[in-house]
Amino acid sequence: MKKFNFRKVLDGLTAASPVGSSGGGSGSGAGGSVHPGGTAGAAGTPREEIQETLTSDYFQICKTVRHGFPYLPTALAFDPVQKILAIGTRTGAIRILGRPGVDCYCQHESGAAVLQLQFLINEGALVSACADDALHLWNLRQKRPAILHSLKFNRERITYCHLPFQSKWLYVGTERGNTHIVNIESFILSGYVIMWNKAIELSTKTHPGPVVHLSDSPRDEGKLLIGYENGTIVFWDLRSKRADLRAYYDEAIHSVAWHHEGKQFMCSHSDGSLTLWNLKSPNRPFQTTIPHGKVQRDGKKPESCKPILKVEYKTCKNSEPFVIFSGGLSYDKPCRRPSLTIMHGKAITVLEMDHPIVDFLTLCETPYPNEFQEPYAVVVLLEKDLIVVDLTQSNFPIFENPYPIDIHESPVTCTEYFADCPPDLIPVLYSVGAKHKKQGYSNKEWPISGGAWNLGAQTYPEIIITGHADGSVKFWDASAITLQMLYKLKTSKVFEKQKVGEGKATAEIVEEDPFAVQMMYWCPESRIFCVAGVSAYVIVYRFSKHEVNTEIASLEVRLQCEVEDIITPEPETNPPFPDASSQLPSLKSLSGSTNTVACEGTMKDSIPCLSVKARPVRMPPGYQADLVIQLVWVDGEPPQQITSLAVNSAYGLVAFGNCNGLAVVDFMQKTVLLSMGTLDLYGSSDPYQRQPRSPRKSRQFAADNFCMRGLSNFYPDLTKRIRTSYQSLTELSDSPVSLELERCKSPTSENRENSFSRSRSSSVSSIDRDSKEAITALYFMESFARKNDSAVSSCLWVGTGLGMVIILSLNLPASDDSRQSEPVMVSPSGTVLTLKGAVLTFACLDCMGTLTHQPYEVWRDPHSADDGDKTRKRKLVMHSPSSSQDMGDHQFAVICSEKQAKVFSLPSQTCLYVHNITETSFLLRADVVTLCNSVCLACFCANGHIMTLSLPSLRPLLDINYLPVTDMRIARTFCFTNEGQALYLSSPTEIQRLTYSQEMCDNLQDMLGDLFTPVETPEAQNRGFLKGLFGGSGQAFDREELFGEATAGKASRSLAQHIPGSGGIEGVRGAAGGVIGDLTRARIALDERGQKLGELDERTASMMASAEAFSKHAHEVMLKYKDKKWYQF
């Protein structure tokens, strides 16, 4: 007997109550899996044949890996033995990077910014200091790091931390100028405190400011160098608890760096100066330089420069020391880029950066601070990049970065994700992309090479495609939870460059980023790729391994919805589908920019937004533009942006729609087959009773007036970026409104109002409150177009913003030879289906419930050198079995809108199942995906829920409140793919991947990289007898004896609060069944009990002290008044 599982309750439930039309199977079973046993074969009873295999046990949500550059970085740390790098961010995230494949993301629950990171070198642990004055100890010896301990400071703000190599005592400097010491093992404060007023001279009248630096002397671990913000430096003897020396400088200190011998140290200051100090003469620096300051003629001190925010002083055995610093540039060059300066002997090299420098670290051969450092590289963390400079070569080249940190090179505007795609695609894309690699990188191996990673069990190929604001498209290899760029395509190259100031004159409809990619459609099998741009154009690309030099074919399409064109309610008087011959004369096949301007003053008409290059263009191997289709201005109104896109290589057609209507283009013959308003698509099947309306008044539109909303909504740092027409995405907070009354003025519309309450996202563009019905989904498939069809035929399914589904029949030439010459016919089938909410996606299942793949043409190189008949013949895969017995005489159409999902049986058009997915919110994304050799519908809702439904019965299998849509970026980029994978842009620079598959969650540990690998700590160099005798600290320094509770006592418990971390709990779960688990649980319980007893002890002591003070005060009062008479009071 199986144990009862609460999740399985979902499997027995169904929200899919059968509706309406009385097909044979629509009355029984409330939409659950119907077991076989009924009569099969009749069109009305297909439901009884399907045995669904997916249950809720197959589903579980968890994040897998995060790719890209850490958003808003603040801190940097490096373990020189393990060779791993950690980056902290303003949002409380930590990214830990090692060799390619080793990339770990962890997050502080508080979300407080990370101020500083410190590795416990070669210990597999990391200390983070956050802006909420908490210290955290992370365990890196597990694949997903967890916090072991936290220490929250209550009365002081943390400003700087220092952990000496191979020490378990962490020095913590605060804003008040005090220095505390924390035991790393127990995460408890020592009673040893260096108070600021003890550290500075008594005669000093001012507070020295916050602690900005702490470091122990390389020569003597018992001496601590403390740097205060106002320019005071204190060399503190930890043993004698007094200052050995004090130094003062009249400029604020930003950082301090030691010479490895421990006799000198260097400071960087706010006036752009570097001062070098000798411990023997601390009265003044023995050397002061302003590296970028101009030398004055009269011998005065060089003029001050910008602050040097950080300096590092690294020695070499066989050459001059390196002095490396950030900042310090002169003020007279305000436009100069942020720079890193490398001083090596007399040579000064300034490396200009593309972004402000956040932090940098010099990588050295040794972890010991008292040896020659031998620096070999500098890691520079910029606001939007990570650079590693090779110090071993005189020209300081940078290393080629193996991480995918340039996702945000141009802001990401859309994403697509393909799991289990054809295996030959990745090497093919890599081969054409590798030719564009930059030269001039260092020839050495990437120095951040720690951790271990293997491929794991998951072997199917995965590709992620990102579209960007500058018109570029990047293809990434995403197999086995890694990410590597394969190929970059620049879609803007098909257009003429925009001249500065041309703006509105060239009929632009967006101010910036006119080439931004808004939608992408890719057929991996045929390698046809199609993009829709923000300036209302579509480009069809074919893949070739050969370079060509050719002209770019282009078409212009008028797509304008005019309600007043419908003069009478009878639709028959105006046949909406003229035959192909009557359409052909109106086609424009323009290869250049022959803009025709209407004679009515300055009103723009028939002008595309951009100009396609008219001359022959060199196209390198890879994706080459086959056809550019542009929507044009109509009567002074700009073309509306494209809201849906579909391509089919077998049919040779591309379809796209916007809020005005639909266009279908034959990209093989380069002709427009259909271009008409949405209302005309219905023909006589229009469900709305439309009344005649008077013509609108002529209006002049400003570009800002129509709904070109933008990326600025979801990239706040990019003001006035692309504006996109997706009101349904950009206006999440709008209250639901119904557009039926605006759209249909007839009395009968009120009945539909009750059944079709249209959500706020219904109109993708309802600017002037016209009856515009956007095309929101398109799908080519072999299907039954009409009720009485006996065989499948080529169809285009069209979904609209008002939940209407229109099926168009495609009449293709029978033979391949005639495909290039005979016209393709597009005609209405008369079939109209309805849903609640804007249609999002379509899919087709065969009679066995298996997902039917769209027809496609097997890829062949369009520019192959071999022009024989065999290579030129098109090979089509139609997925239509030869006999009708194999296919069955029916299929299932799956349609999902932003409110509900429906499954129809075709050709009977019986609605077998319906599931109302959400009433109060709306879906942002829905995809029909394969999982475990079965198929399901995956949905992402605006309220943050991720849901999966079985197919065809639409049983709920998973519903988890995973991710509140706090940012439009998430809504814009979320997508599902096969095998239980999904992704979204979690920040402007990072892609977050997740899985909704229980199997992948179970196997995730095997796929993740190891951050910690056993490495022996290098031995310290033999310093020699004389040097040990005269040059070093003769006596060993016992920190335990000095800082331990026996000597230093306990710190005040009100100063900081110890919080046990979850890392220990996770360890317990792993050993839950054994003695170790019991012991660990007991130890944690004892820790908590000890902490509570300690707090009680402190409260008791406080009450005793208070009582004693009260007793003393009462005794004093008694003595004062003891001998006085009553009248003397």
Side-chain angles (χ1 to χ4, degrees), residues 1-13 55-60 957 998:
M1 182 79 181
K2 236 180 177 181
K3 279 188 179 178
F4 178 79
N5 186 337
F6 182 74
R7 278 195 303 172
K8 288 195 172 181
V9 174
L10 280 173
D11 297 336
L13 294 174
T55 65
S56 58
D57 285 343
Y58 284 80
F59 296 93
Q60 178 63 46
L957 298 172
Q998 180 69 60

Side-chain angles (χ1 to χ4, degrees), residues 957-1020:
L957 298 172
L958 174 81
D959 186 350
I960 289 183
N961 188 1
Y962 170 74
L963 177 78
V965 183
T966 52
D967 201 312
M968 283 319 308
R969 183 189 317 104
I970 298 169
R972 187 81 172 138
T973 57
F974 197 102
C975 52
F976 295 98
T977 187
N978 298 330
E979 307 305 329
Q981 305 247 48
L983 68 79
Y984 61 94
L985 233 71
S986 55
S987 74
T989 62
E990 294 166 290
I991 287 175
Q992 177 67 58
R993 287 164 71 179
L994 58 135
T995 181
Y996 49 96
S997 157
Q998 180 69 60
E999 183 185 5
M1000 189 168 177
C1001 289
D1002 295 340
N1003 297 331
L1004 188 58
Q1005 284 294 105
D1006 300 331
M1007 300 164 69
L1008 296 171
D1010 288 296
L1011 295 173
F1012 180 79
T1013 51
V1015 180
E1016 279 195 25
T1017 303
E1019 288 187 11

